[in-house]
Amino acid sequence: MKKVFTILLLTLGFFVQAQYESSAFKPGEWLKFRMHYGFLNASYATLHLKSDNIGDVPVYHVVGKGQTTGLASLFFKVDDTYESYFGKEDGKPYRFIRKIDEGGYTKDIEINFDHTADKAVLNDKKNKKKYNFDLQDSIQDLLSAFYYLRNNYDPDDLVKGEAVKLKMLYDDDGVFNFKLKYLGTEILKTKFGKVECFKFRPLVQSGRVFKEKESLSLWVSKDKNRIPIRIQADLAVGSIKADLDGYNGLKHQFKIIMD
């Protein structure tokens, strides 16, 4: 269960929507996910979007939190916080914070992005180290990718079997390529009713968060919100599933198929 929240946050970002003039979200949006590991109701994760400023740049500030609950917390305690500050006009990340405690495995990282100099500085506060990275086109952090791609890919451009691509920086491993293969549409039964979704298959690099033998699938609402409805990973031992459990402050109507 150590990878539960990283799996959720890494895959949350890869949804599609039109450009910023028809934004898929607004400040105040709040999403809650219930996560299962096997038969255990393992944990909950939330994302809350607000307005803020970095210097004189107006930004969105999103806070993601994840915690184990109930019996799961007795076996493996998780307390994770992720934060991202990204531009309201261009979607570029300006600051990313990752503070996690997963069964005693801890990280305390802050990345500051300088888009004028095309540089990023990662401050590993736990180990008192700093790393410098050259920025590349369309660079995103773990959370800003979620919102950036909700606004920057047109559903009409999706081709079954082809992948959406993005460069990401969120750890001292450096910049890497993330791909999301489009598998078509599917209707899911949820606690809210039936929801029509886009289905994706994230393609990740071996040796990072996932193993090659793991199978990961992502379902995203086909309405204008483009919010994740379900994420499922079949692991070497057991499986992880995250379902949308609650929401508030959506910009658009959440479409439910009525029988």
Side-chain angles (χ1 to χ4, degrees):
M1 286 172 42
K2 177 177 178 180
K3 296 182 281 189
V4 170
F5 296 106
T6 305
I7 286 174
L8 175 62
L9 291 171
L10 184 59
T11 56
L12 280 180
F14 298 90
F15 323 124
V16 291
Q17 173 62 1
Q19 301 297 318
Y20 272 85
E21 55 264 26
S22 56
S23 176
F25 51 83
K26 65 180 181 179
E29 181 184 84
W30 177 84
L31 304 173
K32 180 182 180 181
F33 301 89
R34 183 175 62 177
M35 308 184 71
H36 305 266
Y37 181 74
F39 66 90
L40 292 175
N41 180 20
S43 53
Y44 288 92
T46 59
L47 289 171
H48 188 197
L49 185 68
K50 301 174 283 186
S51 289
D52 209 330
N53 290 279
I54 294 290
D56 59 356
V57 178
V59 297
Y60 291 108
H61 176 201
V62 59
V63 179
K65 290 184 176 290
Q67 291 182 322
T68 46
T69 59
L71 287 175
S73 63
L74 299 178
F75 297 102
F76 194 89
K77 189 173 182 179
V78 171
D79 186 2
D80 290 355
T81 298
Y82 292 78
E83 298 183 58
S84 177
Y85 299 77
F86 59 95
K88 286 189 173 182
E89 297 298 324
D90 55 18
K92 292 180 179 179
Y94 285 84
R95 182 176 298 155
F96 174 69
I97 297 169
R98 184 183 181 199
K99 298 181 70 173
I100 65 171
D101 186 343
E102 299 174 347
Y105 173 79
T106 62
K107 276 185 175 287
D108 188 355
I109 287 173
E110 179 176 318
I111 304 175
N112 286 285
F113 297 82
D114 185 342
H115 297 286
T116 301
D118 287 329
K119 301 286 184 182
V121 178
L122 184 151
N123 184 5
D124 182 347
K125 298 180 180 180
K126 174 184 174 181
N127 296 307
K128 298 181 180 179
K129 294 181 179 180
K130 290 188 177 182
Y131 303 85
N132 295 293
F133 298 98
D134 293 326
L135 297 186
Q136 304 176 27
D137 292 339
S138 300
I139 192 74
Q140 295 292 324
D141 65 45
L142 197 58
L143 283 182
S144 67
F146 170 30
Y147 300 91
Y148 178 81
L149 288 176
R150 285 171 73 184
N151 276 346
N152 283 272
Y153 285 91
D154 191 327
D156 294 334
D157 293 335
L158 289 174
V159 178
K160 192 172 182 179
E162 294 188 1
V164 175
K165 301 176 183 178
L166 191 72
K167 295 184 183 296
M168 296 184 65
L169 174 64
Y170 70 94
D171 208 339
D172 56 17
D173 286 340
V175 177
F176 74 99
N177 296 314
F178 191 93
K179 298 179 181 180
L180 195 76
K181 185 177 180 181
Y182 176 55
L183 300 180
T185 60
E186 191 172 318
I187 295 175
L188 292 186
K189 292 182 179 180
T190 76
K191 65 176 289 185
F192 310 103
K194 293 181 180 179
V195 180
E196 188 173 13
C197 300
F198 293 113
K199 185 178 180 180
F200 296 96
R201 174 67 46 76
L203 305 174
V204 298
Q205 292 178 326
S206 177
R208 292 184 181 273
V209 176
F210 307 96
K211 297 178 182 177
E212 288 182 334
K213 61 185 176 182
E214 294 173 346
S215 177
L216 182 65
S217 298
L218 166 67
W219 290 263
V220 179
S221 67
K222 199 179 175 182
D223 59 18
K224 293 182 179 180
N225 296 297
R226 305 293 185 258
I227 55 176
I229 301 299
R230 177 171 297 162
I231 300 164
Q232 185 167 319
D234 296 321
L235 310 178
V237 179
S239 63
I240 294 174
K241 185 172 74 169
D243 286 315
L244 182 68
D245 191 64
Y247 61 89
N248 200 359
L250 297 181
K251 184 173 182 178
H252 306 283
Q253 181 182 3
F254 183 32
K255 291 188 177 181
I256 306 296
I257 297 175
M258 305 301 294
D259 292 328

